[in-house]
Amino acid sequence: MTFEQLSIFVAVAEREHLTRAAEALRLTPSAVSAAIRNLEAFYRVALFHRVGRRIELTEEGRQFLEEARAVLRRVRSAEQTLAELGGLMRGTLVVEASQTVASYWLPPVLMRFHHAHPGVSLKFTLGNTTSVTAAVLEGRADIGFVEGVVDEPALTVARLIDDAILVVTAPDHPWADGRPLTPRDLVDGSDWVMREAGSGTRAAFEAAIAARGVDPADLKVVLELPSNEAVLSAVRTGGSATVVAGVAARCFVDAARLARANFTLPPRAFSVLRHKERRVSRAADALERLAREAAASPAAE
């Protein structure tokens, strides 16, 4: 087998979709399909079930996936080691970040890294707090940035900055009048549009209201959406409330396109994740250092 076949197999297995894997790898779907077929034919093992237009991992495919990931991690580590002997002139840094951090805080840091180390290729993936944690834990990402609470003994979780969590509504919503809300109002006073399960914003909100005696399952969640932008758009056009990061909602509140409800929630941290036992690359160290410098600047808080 070749390194390219392993890379293609892992990309297809993680997405269970040939076309999306091909797009991620910048290959044609036919090239991706041929690589998988050749791998299966040579070793006489079916790695995927073909179910109509869908594909699913077989049991043999699931077992092989962990081995393939391990090999790719070792190859990337070896490549990074060799690259670092030249002083961060070459190499690859794999970064994964949850949506709020990735959309509103991290991009300038990534650009500073690129300007400082233009020979290092940045491979960036967008996820939520749960998926970022898994990527760093499994070695698929060298470093992660999240806005949610992470309780994983194998990872170091270092705070960068704090961000507010806001309950917001459309300007004509009853909660837009500024009256103080009680925890019970959250259940009885409005429908909710929420981010998906695994979102750091949602997890922080649910933990905060649970501490004040509200069961998150009692909220009338009428719609779950996968991005801050989708949630804010839905709330602006309907009679529901949502909870969102302050950095995401602030411009809409300042422009009076959304109203901030009078319910105070504790801030949550934007944090950087690293694995405690995996090799620490100089590129990851450099990016974390730039992130800490950005967090320490007066404009960061």
Side-chain angles (χ1 to χ4, degrees):
M1 69 183 69
T2 67
F3 176 73
E4 183 182 37
Q5 283 176 318
L6 281 180
S7 299
I8 290 172
F9 166 73
V10 170
V12 174
E14 290 178 346
R15 294 163 179 81
E16 293 195 331
H17 198 283
L18 284 170
T19 302
R20 286 198 289 268
E23 291 170 352
L25 295 167
R26 298 181 181 179
L27 297 171
T28 64
S30 59
V32 169
S33 180
I36 296 297
R37 285 199 309 269
N38 291 340
L39 195 60
E40 290 178 317
F42 186 86
Y43 291 99
R44 299 180 182 179
V45 60
L47 299 172
F48 295 96
H49 295 297
R50 276 74 172 176
V51 184
R53 299 182 66 181
R54 295 173 52 245
I55 59 171
E56 299 173 355
L57 279 168
T58 62
E59 180 58 33
E60 293 81 2
R62 280 191 290 272
Q63 294 180 31
F64 181 55
L65 178 59
E66 293 310 308
E67 292 294 330
R69 282 173 169 165
V71 171
L72 294 182
R73 283 196 297 267
R74 290 297 301 151
V75 170
R76 192 170 74 243
S77 177
E79 181 185 44
Q80 192 67 34
T81 298
L82 195 59
E84 288 176 358
L85 294 176
L88 282 183
M89 299 299 293
R90 298 181 185 278
T92 300
L93 179 62
V94 182
V95 182
E96 185 156 340
S98 54
Q99 188 180 120
T100 301
V101 181
S103 299
Y104 301 98
W105 189 80
L106 189 59
V109 178
L110 296 178
M111 287 305 300
R112 290 189 196 106
F113 180 90
H114 170 70
H115 291 316
H117 309 288
V120 178
S121 173
L122 280 170
K123 291 189 175 180
F124 179 78
T125 302
L126 180 66
N128 59 31
T129 295
T130 299
S131 65
V132 174
T133 300
V136 177
L137 190 62
E138 296 167 9
R140 291 182 283 111
D142 300 309
I143 188 169
F145 294 88
V146 298
E147 72 263 13
V149 175
V150 174
D151 182 15
E152 176 48 64
L155 303 181
T156 60
V157 184
R159 174 197 170 276
L160 294 170
I161 64 168
D162 287 335
D163 181 51
I165 304 177
L166 307 180
V167 175
V168 296
T169 69
D172 58 354
H173 190 282
W175 291 354
D177 62 7
R179 61 185 174 88
L181 301 178
T182 67
R184 196 66 215 169
D185 287 331
L186 303 184
V187 175
D188 298 332
S190 182
D191 293 339
W192 290 83
V193 176
M194 300 290 278
R195 283 282 307 279
E196 78 286 357
S199 156
T201 302
R202 181 170 180 173
F205 172 62
E206 290 180 346
I209 64 174
R212 296 172 68 173
V214 176
D215 184 347
D218 291 339
L219 298 179
K220 299 171 185 173
V221 179
V222 297
L223 189 60
E224 292 185 352
L225 294 169
S227 72
N228 294 319
E229 290 75 14
V231 165
L232 292 169
S233 178
V235 168
R236 289 200 307 272
T237 57
S240 300
T242 193
V243 60
V244 71
V247 292
R250 197 163 288 125
C251 64
F252 296 102
V253 173
D254 290 347
R257 297 171 67 189
L258 287 172
R260 179 177 178 177
N262 190 359
F263 187 82
T264 302
L265 292 163
R268 48 82 188 276
F270 289 178
S271 302
V272 57
L273 305 184
R274 300 281 290 274
H275 201 288
K276 291 179 180 178
E277 298 181 357
R278 298 191 192 282
R279 176 183 174 277
V280 177
S281 73
R282 288 173 60 190
D285 273 345
L287 180 60
E288 182 173 349
R289 184 166 57 253
L290 288 171
R292 290 181 181 277
E293 290 173 2
S297 69
E301 297 285 354

